[in-house]
PDB file of all heavy atoms in Angstrom:
ATOM      1  N   ILE A  48       0.867  -1.180   0.005  1.00  0.00           N
ATOM      2  CA  ILE A  48       0.035   0.002  -0.027  1.00  0.00           C
ATOM      3  C   ILE A  48       0.916   1.240  -0.028  1.00  0.00           C
ATOM      4  O   ILE A  48       0.629   2.223  -0.742  1.00  0.00           O
ATOM      5  CB  ILE A  48      -1.010   0.020   1.177  1.00  0.00           C
ATOM      6  CG1 ILE A  48      -2.010  -1.088   1.017  1.00  0.00           C
ATOM      7  CG2 ILE A  48      -1.621   1.391   1.378  1.00  0.00           C
ATOM      8  CD1 ILE A  48      -2.961  -1.182   2.230  1.00  0.00           C
ATOM      9  N   VAL A  49       1.917   1.243   0.824  1.00  0.00           N
ATOM     10  CA  VAL A  49       2.843   2.328   0.844  1.00  0.00           C
ATOM     11  C   VAL A  49       3.515   2.428  -0.494  1.00  0.00           C
ATOM     12  O   VAL A  49       3.738   3.606  -1.074  1.00  0.00           O
ATOM     13  CB  VAL A  49       3.884   2.204   2.001  1.00  0.00           C
ATOM     14  CG1 VAL A  49       4.981   3.270   1.900  1.00  0.00           C
ATOM     15  CG2 VAL A  49       3.218   2.238   3.330  1.00  0.00           C
ATOM     16  N   LEU A  50       3.976   1.347  -1.087  1.00  0.00           N
ATOM     17  CA  LEU A  50       4.707   1.327  -2.282  1.00  0.00           C
ATOM     18  C   LEU A  50       3.921   1.968  -3.429  1.00  0.00           C
ATOM     19  O   LEU A  50       4.446   2.800  -4.197  1.00  0.00           O
ATOM     20  CB  LEU A  50       5.154  -0.115  -2.669  1.00  0.00           C
ATOM     21  CG  LEU A  50       5.871  -0.320  -3.978  1.00  0.00           C
ATOM     22  CD1 LEU A  50       7.228   0.413  -3.975  1.00  0.00           C
ATOM     23  CD2 LEU A  50       6.048  -1.784  -4.254  1.00  0.00           C
ATOM     24  N   PHE A  51       2.698   1.536  -3.538  1.00  0.00           N
ATOM     25  CA  PHE A  51       1.835   1.973  -4.682  1.00  0.00           C
ATOM     26  C   PHE A  51       1.109   3.315  -4.453  1.00  0.00           C
ATOM     27  O   PHE A  51       0.862   4.049  -5.383  1.00  0.00           O
ATOM     28  CB  PHE A  51       0.794   0.931  -5.030  1.00  0.00           C
ATOM     29  CG  PHE A  51       1.413  -0.363  -5.593  1.00  0.00           C
ATOM     30  CD1 PHE A  51       1.020  -1.581  -5.120  1.00  0.00           C
ATOM     31  CD2 PHE A  51       2.317  -0.268  -6.638  1.00  0.00           C
ATOM     32  CE1 PHE A  51       1.584  -2.759  -5.636  1.00  0.00           C
ATOM     33  CE2 PHE A  51       2.893  -1.466  -7.129  1.00  0.00           C
ATOM     34  CZ  PHE A  51       2.516  -2.655  -6.703  1.00  0.00           C
ATOM     35  N   CYS A  52       0.755   3.615  -3.221  1.00  0.00           N
ATOM     36  CA  CYS A  52       0.022   4.821  -2.924  1.00  0.00           C
ATOM     37  C   CYS A  52       0.773   5.987  -2.382  1.00  0.00           C
ATOM     38  O   CYS A  52       0.295   7.131  -2.516  1.00  0.00           O
ATOM     39  CB  CYS A  52      -1.120   4.493  -1.885  1.00  0.00           C
ATOM     40  SG  CYS A  52      -2.267   3.202  -2.435  1.00  0.00           S
ATOM     41  N   ALA A  53       1.949   5.786  -1.799  1.00  0.00           N
ATOM     42  CA  ALA A  53       2.596   6.872  -1.179  1.00  0.00           C
ATOM     43  C   ALA A  53       4.087   6.860  -1.414  1.00  0.00           C
ATOM     44  O   ALA A  53       4.890   7.416  -0.640  1.00  0.00           O
ATOM     45  CB  ALA A  53       2.390   6.795   0.357  1.00  0.00           C
ATOM     46  N   SER A  54       4.476   6.278  -2.588  1.00  0.00           N
ATOM     47  CA  SER A  54       5.898   6.284  -2.872  1.00  0.00           C
ATOM     48  C   SER A  54       6.317   7.678  -3.445  1.00  0.00           C
ATOM     49  O   SER A  54       5.514   8.417  -3.957  1.00  0.00           O
ATOM     50  CB  SER A  54       6.226   5.247  -3.976  1.00  0.00           C
ATOM     51  OG  SER A  54       5.673   5.620  -5.231  1.00  0.00           O
ATOM     52  N   GLY A  55       7.545   7.961  -3.302  1.00  0.00           N
ATOM     53  CA  GLY A  55       8.077   9.301  -3.803  1.00  0.00           C
ATOM     54  C   GLY A  55       7.876   9.408  -5.308  1.00  0.00           C
ATOM     55  O   GLY A  55       7.555  10.442  -5.853  1.00  0.00           O
ATOM     56  N   THR A  56       8.101   8.273  -6.003  1.00  0.00           N
ATOM     57  CA  THR A  56       7.986   8.299  -7.457  1.00  0.00           C
ATOM     58  C   THR A  56       6.533   8.522  -7.898  1.00  0.00           C
ATOM     59  O   THR A  56       6.320   9.307  -8.807  1.00  0.00           O
ATOM     60  CB  THR A  56       8.396   6.926  -8.033  1.00  0.00           C
ATOM     61  OG1 THR A  56       9.706   6.551  -7.638  1.00  0.00           O
ATOM     62  CG2 THR A  56       8.380   6.949  -9.543  1.00  0.00           C
ATOM     63  N   GLY A  57       5.520   7.960  -7.166  1.00  0.00           N
ATOM     64  CA  GLY A  57       4.128   8.203  -7.486  1.00  0.00           C
ATOM     65  C   GLY A  57       3.687   9.580  -7.259  1.00  0.00           C
ATOM     66  O   GLY A  57       3.015  10.224  -8.075  1.00  0.00           O
ATOM     67  N   ILE A  58       4.103  10.155  -6.094  1.00  0.00           N
ATOM     68  CA  ILE A  58       3.769  11.539  -5.751  1.00  0.00           C
ATOM     69  C   ILE A  58       4.372  12.508  -6.750  1.00  0.00           C
ATOM     70  O   ILE A  58       3.707  13.352  -7.273  1.00  0.00           O
ATOM     71  CB  ILE A  58       4.197  11.839  -4.305  1.00  0.00           C
ATOM     72  CG1 ILE A  58       3.343  11.033  -3.322  1.00  0.00           C
ATOM     73  CG2 ILE A  58       4.122  13.336  -4.027  1.00  0.00           C
ATOM     74  CD1 ILE A  58       3.798  11.157  -1.902  1.00  0.00           C
ATOM     75  N   TYR A  59       5.696  12.268  -7.012  1.00  0.00           N
ATOM     76  CA  TYR A  59       6.371  13.084  -7.986  1.00  0.00           C
ATOM     77  C   TYR A  59       5.721  13.024  -9.353  1.00  0.00           C
ATOM     78  O   TYR A  59       5.504  14.048 -10.054  1.00  0.00           O
ATOM     79  CB  TYR A  59       7.848  12.653  -8.021  1.00  0.00           C
ATOM     80  CG  TYR A  59       8.622  13.092  -9.213  1.00  0.00           C
ATOM     81  CD1 TYR A  59       8.782  14.439  -9.517  1.00  0.00           C
ATOM     82  CD2 TYR A  59       9.242  12.193 -10.064  1.00  0.00           C
ATOM     83  CE1 TYR A  59       9.521  14.850 -10.588  1.00  0.00           C
ATOM     84  CE2 TYR A  59       9.928  12.553 -11.171  1.00  0.00           C
ATOM     85  CZ  TYR A  59      10.127  13.900 -11.428  1.00  0.00           C
ATOM     86  OH  TYR A  59      10.805  14.308 -12.521  1.00  0.00           O
ATOM     87  N   GLY A  60       5.392  11.789  -9.813  1.00  0.00           N
ATOM     88  CA  GLY A  60       4.782  11.636 -11.111  1.00  0.00           C
ATOM     89  C   GLY A  60       3.399  12.295 -11.253  1.00  0.00           C
ATOM     90  O   GLY A  60       3.123  12.913 -12.255  1.00  0.00           O
ATOM     91  N   ALA A  61       2.599  12.137 -10.197  1.00  0.00           N
ATOM     92  CA  ALA A  61       1.248  12.752 -10.240  1.00  0.00           C
ATOM     93  C   ALA A  61       1.315  14.300 -10.305  1.00  0.00           C
ATOM     94  O   ALA A  61       0.582  14.941 -11.007  1.00  0.00           O
ATOM     95  CB  ALA A  61       0.413  12.313  -9.018  1.00  0.00           C
ATOM     96  N   LEU A  62       2.208  14.845  -9.449  1.00  0.00           N
ATOM     97  CA  LEU A  62       2.429  16.292  -9.412  1.00  0.00           C
ATOM     98  C   LEU A  62       2.941  16.823 -10.719  1.00  0.00           C
ATOM     99  O   LEU A  62       2.539  17.897 -11.254  1.00  0.00           O
ATOM    100  CB  LEU A  62       3.276  16.728  -8.233  1.00  0.00           C
ATOM    101  CG  LEU A  62       2.673  16.519  -6.879  1.00  0.00           C
ATOM    102  CD1 LEU A  62       3.712  16.819  -5.806  1.00  0.00           C
ATOM    103  CD2 LEU A  62       1.476  17.361  -6.667  1.00  0.00           C
ATOM    104  N   THR A  63       3.887  16.024 -11.294  1.00  0.00           N
ATOM    105  CA  THR A  63       4.491  16.481 -12.608  1.00  0.00           C
ATOM    106  C   THR A  63       3.462  16.426 -13.696  1.00  0.00           C
ATOM    107  O   THR A  63       3.437  17.361 -14.539  1.00  0.00           O
ATOM    108  CB  THR A  63       5.654  15.459 -12.945  1.00  0.00           C
ATOM    109  OG1 THR A  63       6.651  15.627 -11.947  1.00  0.00           O
ATOM    110  CG2 THR A  63       6.321  15.909 -14.259  1.00  0.00           C
ATOM    111  N   GLU A  64       2.602  15.427 -13.730  1.00  0.00           N
ATOM    112  CA  GLU A  64       1.579  15.358 -14.710  1.00  0.00           C
ATOM    113  C   GLU A  64       0.587  16.467 -14.531  1.00  0.00           C
ATOM    114  O   GLU A  64       0.062  17.101 -15.513  1.00  0.00           O
ATOM    115  CB  GLU A  64       0.860  14.002 -14.768  1.00  0.00           C
ATOM    116  CG  GLU A  64      -0.202  13.904 -15.860  1.00  0.00           C
ATOM    117  CD  GLU A  64      -0.926  12.593 -15.896  1.00  0.00           C
ATOM    118  OE1 GLU A  64      -0.766  11.770 -14.977  1.00  0.00           O
ATOM    119  OE2 GLU A  64      -1.653  12.367 -16.873  1.00  0.00           O
ATOM    120  N   GLY A  65       0.248  16.814 -13.342  1.00  0.00           N
ATOM    121  CA  GLY A  65      -0.729  17.850 -13.088  1.00  0.00           C
ATOM    122  C   GLY A  65      -0.237  19.206 -13.356  1.00  0.00           C
ATOM    123  O   GLY A  65      -0.989  20.167 -13.656  1.00  0.00           O
ATOM    124  N   MET A  66       1.120  19.463 -13.273  1.00  0.00           N
ATOM    125  CA  MET A  66       1.639  20.790 -13.503  1.00  0.00           C
ATOM    126  C   MET A  66       1.992  21.034 -15.035  1.00  0.00           C
ATOM    127  O   MET A  66       1.262  21.670 -15.684  1.00  0.00           O
ATOM    128  CB  MET A  66       2.906  21.030 -12.659  1.00  0.00           C
ATOM    129  CG  MET A  66       2.519  21.163 -11.127  1.00  0.00           C
ATOM    130  SD  MET A  66       3.892  21.812 -10.147  1.00  0.00           S
ATOM    131  CE  MET A  66       5.017  20.408 -10.173  1.00  0.00           C
ATOM    132  N   PRO A  67       3.069  20.394 -15.546  1.00  0.00           N
ATOM    133  CA  PRO A  67       3.294  20.686 -16.973  1.00  0.00           C
ATOM    134  C   PRO A  67       2.593  19.677 -17.942  1.00  0.00           C
ATOM    135  O   PRO A  67       2.750  19.806 -19.125  1.00  0.00           O
ATOM    136  CB  PRO A  67       4.829  20.476 -17.070  1.00  0.00           C
ATOM    137  CG  PRO A  67       5.164  19.513 -16.019  1.00  0.00           C
ATOM    138  CD  PRO A  67       4.189  19.668 -14.910  1.00  0.00           C
ATOM    139  N   GLY A  68       1.891  18.749 -17.409  1.00  0.00           N
ATOM    140  CA  GLY A  68       1.095  17.828 -18.216  1.00  0.00           C
ATOM    141  C   GLY A  68       1.938  16.730 -18.727  1.00  0.00           C
ATOM    142  O   GLY A  68       1.626  16.086 -19.785  1.00  0.00           O
ATOM    143  N   ASP A  69       3.080  16.418 -18.075  1.00  0.00           N
ATOM    144  CA  ASP A  69       3.968  15.391 -18.494  1.00  0.00           C
ATOM    145  C   ASP A  69       3.619  14.059 -17.799  1.00  0.00           C
ATOM    146  O   ASP A  69       3.869  13.920 -16.613  1.00  0.00           O
ATOM    147  CB  ASP A  69       5.403  15.800 -18.185  1.00  0.00           C
ATOM    148  CG  ASP A  69       6.489  14.795 -18.624  1.00  0.00           C
ATOM    149  OD1 ASP A  69       6.068  13.753 -19.261  1.00  0.00           O
ATOM    150  OD2 ASP A  69       7.589  14.961 -18.317  1.00  0.00           O
ATOM    151  N   ALA A  70       3.075  13.107 -18.543  1.00  0.00           N
ATOM    152  CA  ALA A  70       2.692  11.894 -17.931  1.00  0.00           C
ATOM    153  C   ALA A  70       3.743  10.794 -18.075  1.00  0.00           C
ATOM    154  O   ALA A  70       3.531   9.672 -17.620  1.00  0.00           O
ATOM    155  CB  ALA A  70       1.379  11.367 -18.627  1.00  0.00           C
ATOM    156  N   SER A  71       4.852  11.157 -18.610  1.00  0.00           N
ATOM    157  CA  SER A  71       5.929  10.132 -18.894  1.00  0.00           C
ATOM    158  C   SER A  71       6.445   9.478 -17.636  1.00  0.00           C
ATOM    159  O   SER A  71       6.728   8.237 -17.673  1.00  0.00           O
ATOM    160  CB  SER A  71       7.109  10.738 -19.628  1.00  0.00           C
ATOM    161  OG  SER A  71       7.727  11.772 -18.865  1.00  0.00           O
ATOM    162  N   ILE A  72       6.538  10.219 -16.490  1.00  0.00           N
ATOM    163  CA  ILE A  72       7.005   9.542 -15.284  1.00  0.00           C
ATOM    164  C   ILE A  72       6.061   8.454 -14.788  1.00  0.00           C
ATOM    165  O   ILE A  72       6.424   7.330 -14.476  1.00  0.00           O
ATOM    166  CB  ILE A  72       7.232  10.553 -14.154  1.00  0.00           C
ATOM    167  CG1 ILE A  72       8.324  11.613 -14.552  1.00  0.00           C
ATOM    168  CG2 ILE A  72       7.565   9.917 -12.819  1.00  0.00           C
ATOM    169  CD1 ILE A  72       9.726  10.944 -14.739  1.00  0.00           C
ATOM    170  N   LEU A  73       4.764   8.758 -14.776  1.00  0.00           N
ATOM    171  CA  LEU A  73       3.807   7.794 -14.303  1.00  0.00           C
ATOM    172  C   LEU A  73       3.689   6.605 -15.283  1.00  0.00           C
ATOM    173  O   LEU A  73       3.423   5.459 -14.883  1.00  0.00           O
ATOM    174  CB  LEU A  73       2.446   8.441 -14.077  1.00  0.00           C
ATOM    175  CG  LEU A  73       2.262   9.297 -12.825  1.00  0.00           C
ATOM    176  CD1 LEU A  73       0.853   9.840 -12.672  1.00  0.00           C
ATOM    177  CD2 LEU A  73       2.594   8.416 -11.554  1.00  0.00           C
ATOM    178  N   ILE A  74       3.809   6.899 -16.546  1.00  0.00           N
ATOM    179  CA  ILE A  74       3.706   5.794 -17.561  1.00  0.00           C
ATOM    180  C   ILE A  74       4.862   4.851 -17.438  1.00  0.00           C
ATOM    181  O   ILE A  74       4.786   3.646 -17.464  1.00  0.00           O
ATOM    182  CB  ILE A  74       3.592   6.381 -19.001  1.00  0.00           C
ATOM    183  CG1 ILE A  74       2.286   7.089 -19.187  1.00  0.00           C
ATOM    184  CG2 ILE A  74       3.751   5.283 -20.004  1.00  0.00           C
ATOM    185  CD1 ILE A  74       2.147   7.835 -20.491  1.00  0.00           C
ATOM    186  N   SER A  75       6.068   5.471 -17.187  1.00  0.00           N
ATOM    187  CA  SER A  75       7.249   4.651 -16.982  1.00  0.00           C
ATOM    188  C   SER A  75       7.136   3.805 -15.645  1.00  0.00           C
ATOM    189  O   SER A  75       7.424   2.627 -15.563  1.00  0.00           O
ATOM    190  CB  SER A  75       8.555   5.516 -16.900  1.00  0.00           C
ATOM    191  OG  SER A  75       8.741   6.157 -18.116  1.00  0.00           O
ATOM    192  N   LYS A  76       6.594   4.515 -14.662  1.00  0.00           N
ATOM    193  CA  LYS A  76       6.362   3.870 -13.349  1.00  0.00           C
ATOM    194  C   LYS A  76       5.347   2.728 -13.530  1.00  0.00           C
ATOM    195  O   LYS A  76       5.425   1.671 -12.839  1.00  0.00           O
ATOM    196  CB  LYS A  76       5.857   4.839 -12.333  1.00  0.00           C
ATOM    197  CG  LYS A  76       5.559   4.286 -10.941  1.00  0.00           C
ATOM    198  CD  LYS A  76       5.111   5.352  -9.986  1.00  0.00           C
ATOM    199  CE  LYS A  76       4.796   4.820  -8.629  1.00  0.00           C
ATOM    200  NZ  LYS A  76       3.513   4.039  -8.633  1.00  0.00           N
ATOM    201  N   ALA A  77       4.415   2.901 -14.391  1.00  0.00           N
ATOM    202  CA  ALA A  77       3.313   1.905 -14.629  1.00  0.00           C
ATOM    203  C   ALA A  77       3.875   0.589 -15.057  1.00  0.00           C
ATOM    204  O   ALA A  77       3.420  -0.488 -14.680  1.00  0.00           O
ATOM    205  CB  ALA A  77       2.279   2.414 -15.580  1.00  0.00           C
ATOM    206  N   ILE A  78       4.926   0.666 -15.893  1.00  0.00           N
ATOM    207  CA  ILE A  78       5.591  -0.548 -16.383  1.00  0.00           C
ATOM    208  C   ILE A  78       6.203  -1.342 -15.193  1.00  0.00           C
ATOM    209  O   ILE A  78       6.052  -2.562 -15.077  1.00  0.00           O
ATOM    210  CB  ILE A  78       6.711  -0.184 -17.466  1.00  0.00           C
ATOM    211  CG1 ILE A  78       6.011   0.475 -18.656  1.00  0.00           C
ATOM    212  CG2 ILE A  78       7.437  -1.442 -17.850  1.00  0.00           C
ATOM    213  CD1 ILE A  78       7.000   1.007 -19.640  1.00  0.00           C
ATOM    214  N   LEU A  79       6.879  -0.574 -14.316  1.00  0.00           N
ATOM    215  CA  LEU A  79       7.497  -1.222 -13.123  1.00  0.00           C
ATOM    216  C   LEU A  79       6.371  -1.751 -12.210  1.00  0.00           C
ATOM    217  O   LEU A  79       6.423  -2.812 -11.651  1.00  0.00           O
ATOM    218  CB  LEU A  79       8.315  -0.234 -12.362  1.00  0.00           C
ATOM    219  CG  LEU A  79       9.593   0.304 -13.112  1.00  0.00           C
ATOM    220  CD1 LEU A  79      10.296   1.323 -12.207  1.00  0.00           C
ATOM    221  CD2 LEU A  79      10.561  -0.829 -13.399  1.00  0.00           C
ATOM    222  N   ASP A  80       5.333  -0.970 -11.998  1.00  0.00           N
ATOM    223  CA  ASP A  80       4.246  -1.328 -11.146  1.00  0.00           C
ATOM    224  C   ASP A  80       3.484  -2.582 -11.548  1.00  0.00           C
ATOM    225  O   ASP A  80       3.088  -3.404 -10.757  1.00  0.00           O
ATOM    226  CB  ASP A  80       3.199  -0.195 -10.959  1.00  0.00           C
ATOM    227  CG  ASP A  80       3.774   0.883  -9.978  1.00  0.00           C
ATOM    228  OD1 ASP A  80       4.851   0.731  -9.431  1.00  0.00           O
ATOM    229  OD2 ASP A  80       3.074   1.882  -9.890  1.00  0.00           O
ATOM    230  N   PHE A  81       3.364  -2.750 -12.906  1.00  0.00           N
ATOM    231  CA  PHE A  81       2.674  -3.971 -13.451  1.00  0.00           C
ATOM    232  C   PHE A  81       3.373  -5.213 -12.925  1.00  0.00           C
ATOM    233  O   PHE A  81       2.793  -6.128 -12.394  1.00  0.00           O
ATOM    234  CB  PHE A  81       2.662  -3.882 -14.943  1.00  0.00           C
ATOM    235  CG  PHE A  81       2.122  -5.161 -15.556  1.00  0.00           C
ATOM    236  CD1 PHE A  81       0.734  -5.415 -15.652  1.00  0.00           C
ATOM    237  CD2 PHE A  81       2.993  -6.149 -15.963  1.00  0.00           C
ATOM    238  CE1 PHE A  81       0.291  -6.613 -16.163  1.00  0.00           C
ATOM    239  CE2 PHE A  81       2.533  -7.314 -16.533  1.00  0.00           C
ATOM    240  CZ  PHE A  81       1.174  -7.527 -16.638  1.00  0.00           C
ATOM    241  N   PHE A  82       4.716  -5.230 -13.158  1.00  0.00           N
ATOM    242  CA  PHE A  82       5.467  -6.420 -12.813  1.00  0.00           C
ATOM    243  C   PHE A  82       5.660  -6.549 -11.301  1.00  0.00           C
ATOM    244  O   PHE A  82       5.617  -7.679 -10.773  1.00  0.00           O
ATOM    245  CB  PHE A  82       6.863  -6.425 -13.508  1.00  0.00           C
ATOM    246  CG  PHE A  82       6.704  -6.556 -14.997  1.00  0.00           C
ATOM    247  CD1 PHE A  82       6.922  -5.463 -15.859  1.00  0.00           C
ATOM    248  CD2 PHE A  82       6.524  -7.806 -15.609  1.00  0.00           C
ATOM    249  CE1 PHE A  82       6.788  -5.597 -17.218  1.00  0.00           C
ATOM    250  CE2 PHE A  82       6.373  -7.909 -16.925  1.00  0.00           C
ATOM    251  CZ  PHE A  82       6.589  -6.871 -17.770  1.00  0.00           C
ATOM    252  N   THR A  83       5.811  -5.422 -10.622  1.00  0.00           N
ATOM    253  CA  THR A  83       5.896  -5.463  -9.145  1.00  0.00           C
ATOM    254  C   THR A  83       4.589  -6.044  -8.542  1.00  0.00           C
ATOM    255  O   THR A  83       4.613  -6.854  -7.653  1.00  0.00           O
ATOM    256  CB  THR A  83       6.191  -4.066  -8.568  1.00  0.00           C
ATOM    257  OG1 THR A  83       7.318  -3.518  -9.207  1.00  0.00           O
ATOM    258  CG2 THR A  83       6.360  -4.157  -7.103  1.00  0.00           C
ATOM    259  N   ALA A  84       3.407  -5.557  -9.047  1.00  0.00           N
ATOM    260  CA  ALA A  84       2.145  -6.013  -8.579  1.00  0.00           C
ATOM    261  C   ALA A  84       2.066  -7.454  -8.884  1.00  0.00           C
ATOM    262  O   ALA A  84       1.481  -8.267  -8.056  1.00  0.00           O
ATOM    263  CB  ALA A  84       1.049  -5.233  -9.193  1.00  0.00           C
ATOM    264  N   ALA A  85       2.445  -7.935 -10.031  1.00  0.00           N
ATOM    265  CA  ALA A  85       2.313  -9.295 -10.404  1.00  0.00           C
ATOM    266  C   ALA A  85       3.145 -10.189  -9.465  1.00  0.00           C
ATOM    267  O   ALA A  85       2.611 -11.263  -8.982  1.00  0.00           O
ATOM    268  CB  ALA A  85       2.818  -9.517 -11.860  1.00  0.00           C
ATOM    269  N   ILE A  86       4.343  -9.805  -9.130  1.00  0.00           N
ATOM    270  CA  ILE A  86       5.176 -10.544  -8.244  1.00  0.00           C
ATOM    271  C   ILE A  86       4.636 -10.628  -6.823  1.00  0.00           C
ATOM    272  O   ILE A  86       4.591 -11.687  -6.143  1.00  0.00           O
ATOM    273  CB  ILE A  86       6.615 -10.067  -8.277  1.00  0.00           C
ATOM    274  CG1 ILE A  86       7.253 -10.354  -9.688  1.00  0.00           C
ATOM    275  CG2 ILE A  86       7.467 -10.667  -7.246  1.00  0.00           C
ATOM    276  CD1 ILE A  86       8.598  -9.770  -9.847  1.00  0.00           C
ATOM    277  N   PHE A  87       4.163  -9.435  -6.342  1.00  0.00           N
ATOM    278  CA  PHE A  87       3.569  -9.480  -4.967  1.00  0.00           C
ATOM    279  C   PHE A  87       2.319 -10.321  -5.004  1.00  0.00           C
ATOM    280  O   PHE A  87       2.058 -11.047  -3.965  1.00  0.00           O
ATOM    281  CB  PHE A  87       3.222  -8.045  -4.550  1.00  0.00           C
ATOM    282  CG  PHE A  87       4.322  -7.301  -3.919  1.00  0.00           C
ATOM    283  CD1 PHE A  87       4.890  -6.205  -4.507  1.00  0.00           C
ATOM    284  CD2 PHE A  87       4.782  -7.659  -2.617  1.00  0.00           C
ATOM    285  CE1 PHE A  87       5.920  -5.493  -3.857  1.00  0.00           C
ATOM    286  CE2 PHE A  87       5.774  -7.017  -2.007  1.00  0.00           C
ATOM    287  CZ  PHE A  87       6.388  -5.890  -2.646  1.00  0.00           C
ATOM    288  N   ALA A  88       1.561 -10.302  -6.040  1.00  0.00           N
ATOM    289  CA  ALA A  88       0.299 -11.091  -6.141  1.00  0.00           C
ATOM    290  C   ALA A  88       0.551 -12.606  -6.095  1.00  0.00           C
ATOM    291  O   ALA A  88      -0.317 -13.358  -5.770  1.00  0.00           O
ATOM    292  CB  ALA A  88      -0.509 -10.667  -7.318  1.00  0.00           C
ATOM    293  N   THR A  89       1.776 -13.000  -6.494  1.00  0.00           N
ATOM    294  CA  THR A  89       2.040 -14.435  -6.491  1.00  0.00           C
ATOM    295  C   THR A  89       2.012 -15.021  -5.071  1.00  0.00           C
ATOM    296  O   THR A  89       1.707 -16.158  -4.829  1.00  0.00           O
ATOM    297  CB  THR A  89       3.442 -14.728  -7.072  1.00  0.00           C
ATOM    298  OG1 THR A  89       4.430 -14.064  -6.293  1.00  0.00           O
ATOM    299  CG2 THR A  89       3.536 -14.297  -8.542  1.00  0.00           C
ATOM    300  N   ASN A  90       2.213 -14.123  -4.060  1.00  0.00           N
ATOM    301  CA  ASN A  90       2.183 -14.525  -2.668  1.00  0.00           C
ATOM    302  C   ASN A  90       0.890 -14.007  -1.979  1.00  0.00           C
ATOM    303  O   ASN A  90       0.385 -14.682  -1.093  1.00  0.00           O
ATOM    304  CB  ASN A  90       3.404 -14.012  -1.905  1.00  0.00           C
ATOM    305  CG  ASN A  90       4.683 -14.775  -2.306  1.00  0.00           C
ATOM    306  OD1 ASN A  90       4.623 -15.982  -2.569  1.00  0.00           O
ATOM    307  ND2 ASN A  90       5.780 -14.082  -2.331  1.00  0.00           N
ATOM    308  N   LEU A  91       0.469 -12.847  -2.351  1.00  0.00           N
ATOM    309  CA  LEU A  91      -0.650 -12.193  -1.599  1.00  0.00           C
ATOM    310  C   LEU A  91      -1.999 -12.371  -2.307  1.00  0.00           C
ATOM    311  O   LEU A  91      -3.046 -12.223  -1.648  1.00  0.00           O
ATOM    312  CB  LEU A  91      -0.374 -10.669  -1.444  1.00  0.00           C
ATOM    313  CG  LEU A  91       0.939 -10.268  -0.757  1.00  0.00           C
ATOM    314  CD1 LEU A  91       1.084  -8.789  -0.709  1.00  0.00           C
ATOM    315  CD2 LEU A  91       0.910 -10.819   0.709  1.00  0.00           C
ATOM    316  N   GLY A  92      -1.981 -12.674  -3.552  1.00  0.00           N
ATOM    317  CA  GLY A  92      -3.275 -12.896  -4.204  1.00  0.00           C
ATOM    318  C   GLY A  92      -3.955 -11.622  -4.696  1.00  0.00           C
ATOM    319  O   GLY A  92      -3.382 -10.572  -4.891  1.00  0.00           O
ATOM    320  N   ALA A  93      -5.303 -11.735  -4.797  1.00  0.00           N
ATOM    321  CA  ALA A  93      -6.078 -10.640  -5.463  1.00  0.00           C
ATOM    322  C   ALA A  93      -6.114  -9.349  -4.675  1.00  0.00           C
ATOM    323  O   ALA A  93      -6.507  -8.303  -5.236  1.00  0.00           O
ATOM    324  CB  ALA A  93      -7.514 -11.148  -5.629  1.00  0.00           C
TER     325      ALA A  93
END
């Protein structure tokens, strides 16, 4: 929950997209988050 909801990268990416409209940080983070979520889900489930 901390990793996905309150990480420095997520906060930085959301603020960056909201200010200059640059979504690249969050889109790059999404690639990492997809695989990170997949690996955590192998143990934690849905």
